Amino acid sequence: MTAPALALPASIAALFDDALRDRLLELRRALHAHPELSHEEHDTSRRLIEALVALGVRDVKRCGATGVVARIPGRNPGGGAIAIRGDIDALPITEATGLPFASQTPGVMHACGHDVHATWAVGAAALLQRDPAERDVVVILQPAEERGDGALAMIEQGALDGVGMIFGGHVDRRFEVGRVVADAGPLAASADTFEIELTGRGAHAARPHEAADPIVGAAALVSALQTIVARRLNPATAGVVTVGTLHAGTAPNVIPDRATLGGTIRAIDAPSRTLMVDDVRRIAEGVAATHRLDARVTFERGTPAIVNPEGPIAIARDAVTSLLGESALVPLGTLNMAAEDFAYYLERIPGCFLRIGAREPGGEFVAAHSPKFVAAEEAIFVGAAVLASVVRRVPRETELRGVRRPGGR
Ligand code: NI
């Protein structure tokens, strides 16, 4: 294939010869054209394995049904490996980018840039194969990030066995190619979901005094839940309680006997997370009692928050400035209340998560998860170069304690 001219900083372009550049572009385009949903990434993982093997990576294994783990030997192995993680799944969205390599699968699209994440992880493997890190590097190609359960599945399958530190990143079109966010502190929120079932007594809509009306109770509850963030959470911290579903009733002249609400709770620290979960329950039960209803409240605990620690983020910042200069580092400039299941790795081992600029020069902002989202191809090379450089810069004396699963190898 003839690759287009890429608008890459010279320091990055110099790391990729034509053959490697074309191979990575081809891989990304193939992944983008053939997106697969969470846990269905069979073709995707096959393509990734083929690409790794073609680049000379010898130790490539499937991990679970659709995950892949590759190991690139270090110069001086021992004392724990370092991991690079790229997620690989797509979303149930019909693509509207008009790209020549747009999705060929109706209703499925790489609208979050995971095609680029997978490709930059393969690119980092290629760079590390040529110029190894001190320690072994494990490249984790993880399914089902969008479902939020892919990282845990990979950990259960042993992807972190012997790994003592991990790095990853996400494309971000708010920033031009060549800019990188490597901030210590919160980068993604925890995400827990709740369901509240209000049960009352159904009756004729014309005789409300004979009912215990769950619709009026649900309406009061939606409003009352807003007071958690407004009145209970410390204003200096961030939190979200959103009611995303509300179902009740079947006819205009009937008061139903139940209503159900569902929603999400986002936090960036554990005390706020606990406070909001406890308050959703307390308020649901209190409002239900006020309206002579019963409340059944259930929670599903989801992804924890990502809070980048100082040590690993300092290594990442060094890598970025040495490759791209001081001006490449940009602040996130906002608090991201979306979730990212990379957090499960950071619950177990140190590491950090970056945001990597993916807007082509002069391009416009397009939100991730939109049918028009596309990450600039140049981001592949920045991501690969930055991640390879980060793992090479982990100081030799850093003590890494590899993870061992209970009963694992
Ligand atoms: Ni994503």
Side-chain angles (χ1 to χ4, degrees):
M1 96 190 232
T2 310
L6 292 172
L8 274 176
S11 58
I12 302 285
L15 299 171
F16 299 87
D17 58 37
D18 288 356
L20 178 55
R21 185 191 64 171
D22 289 358
R23 198 181 281 280
L24 292 176
L25 288 174
E26 203 177 323
L27 173 63
R28 186 279 173 116
R29 290 175 173 213
L31 295 178
H32 195 92
H34 304 283
E36 292 172 303
L37 296 173
S38 297
H39 297 300
E40 295 171 13
E41 308 92 338
H42 297 282
D43 240 30
T44 302
S45 55
R46 180 186 52 74
R47 282 178 211 277
L48 292 167
I49 290 171
E50 282 172 10
L52 286 161
V53 169
L55 288 164
V57 180
R58 278 193 219 103
D59 188 352
V60 184
K61 292 193 183 87
R62 263 186 196 285
C63 183
T66 56
V68 178
V69 171
R71 194 175 192 96
I72 297 100
R75 295 179 199 279
N76 205 354
I82 304 170
I84 290 172
R85 175 274 216 164
D87 44 3
I88 68 173
D89 56 326
L91 286 159
I93 292 175
T94 298
E95 181 158 352
T97 60
L99 285 170
F101 54 91
S103 172
Q104 294 174 21
T105 309
V108 185
M109 175 192 177
H110 269 295
C112 198
H114 299 190
D115 51 336
V116 168
H117 305 167
T119 306
W120 76 33
V122 170
L127 296 177
L128 289 162
Q129 185 81 7
R130 294 172 181 189
D131 180 9
E134 282 295 317
R135 300 156 191 270
D136 287 2
V137 175
V138 172
V139 173
I140 297 175
L141 294 162
Q142 178 213 302
E145 194 286 324
E146 298 292 357
R147 283 266 302 264
D149 58 0
L152 272 184
M154 291 295 277
I155 293 167
E156 276 158 23
Q157 298 281 344
L160 284 190
D161 286 6
V163 174
M165 195 175 267
I166 187 164
F167 296 93
H170 203 292
V171 292
D172 195 327
R173 266 193 79 89
R174 279 172 303 162
F175 306 105
E176 268 192 19
V177 167
R179 310 265 183 222
V180 179
V181 178
D183 289 340
L187 189 73
S190 60
D192 302 314
T193 55
F194 62 85
E195 188 179 278
I196 302 167
E197 187 177 44
L198 297 175
T199 309
R201 198 170 54 249
H204 195 296
R207 292 190 283 275
H209 59 290
E210 293 172 357
D213 187 343
I215 290 185
V216 174
L221 178 53
V222 171
S223 294
L225 291 173
Q226 309 311 309
T227 64
I228 297 174
V229 173
R231 302 287 82 183
R232 286 274 293 149
L233 205 61
N234 182 335
T237 190
V240 176
V241 177
T242 290
V243 176
T245 65
L246 173 51
H247 299 288
T250 52
N253 60 348
V254 175
I255 293 173
D257 65 353
R258 70 193 58 222
T260 55
L261 301 83
T264 184
I265 299 170
R266 306 295 171 107
I268 53 164
D269 61 74
S272 304
R273 186 180 188 185
T274 305
L275 179 148
M276 287 193 283
V277 167
D278 290 350
D279 263 32
V280 165
R281 182 184 298 283
R282 192 175 57 78
I283 290 174
E285 290 171 353
V287 170
T290 303
H291 291 267
R292 295 177 300 121
L293 306 166
D294 285 328
R296 194 174 62 84
V297 188
T298 50
F299 294 94
E300 193 175 328
R301 202 170 165 80
T303 319
I306 290 184
V307 182
N308 279 331
E310 293 284 352
I313 210 76
I315 301 171
R317 291 176 72 89
D318 274 357
V320 172
T321 50
S322 72
L323 273 171
L324 293 158
E326 288 280 347
S327 62
L329 285 172
V330 287
L332 186 61
T334 181
L335 203 48
N336 171 28
M337 298 307 283
E340 159 61 64
D341 82 351
F342 189 83
Y344 286 113
Y345 302 112
L346 294 183
E347 267 193 332
R348 288 157 178 82
I349 53 174
C352 68
F353 197 71
L354 311 174
R355 305 286 297 188
I356 299 201
R359 192 180 77 229
E360 59 286 341
E364 288 177 1
F365 172 72
V366 184
H369 293 209
S370 121
K372 295 207 163 157
F373 180 82
V374 54
E377 293 196 309
E378 286 85 349
I380 297 166
F381 303 92
V382 176
V386 166
L387 289 168
S389 172
V390 171
V391 297
R392 287 196 200 103
R393 280 171 174 270
V394 175
R396 194 193 301 232
E397 62 279 8
T398 307
E399 199 187 322
L400 298 182
R401 292 226 299 273
V403 169
R404 286 270 174 276
R405 287 170 298 159
R409 284 170 287 136

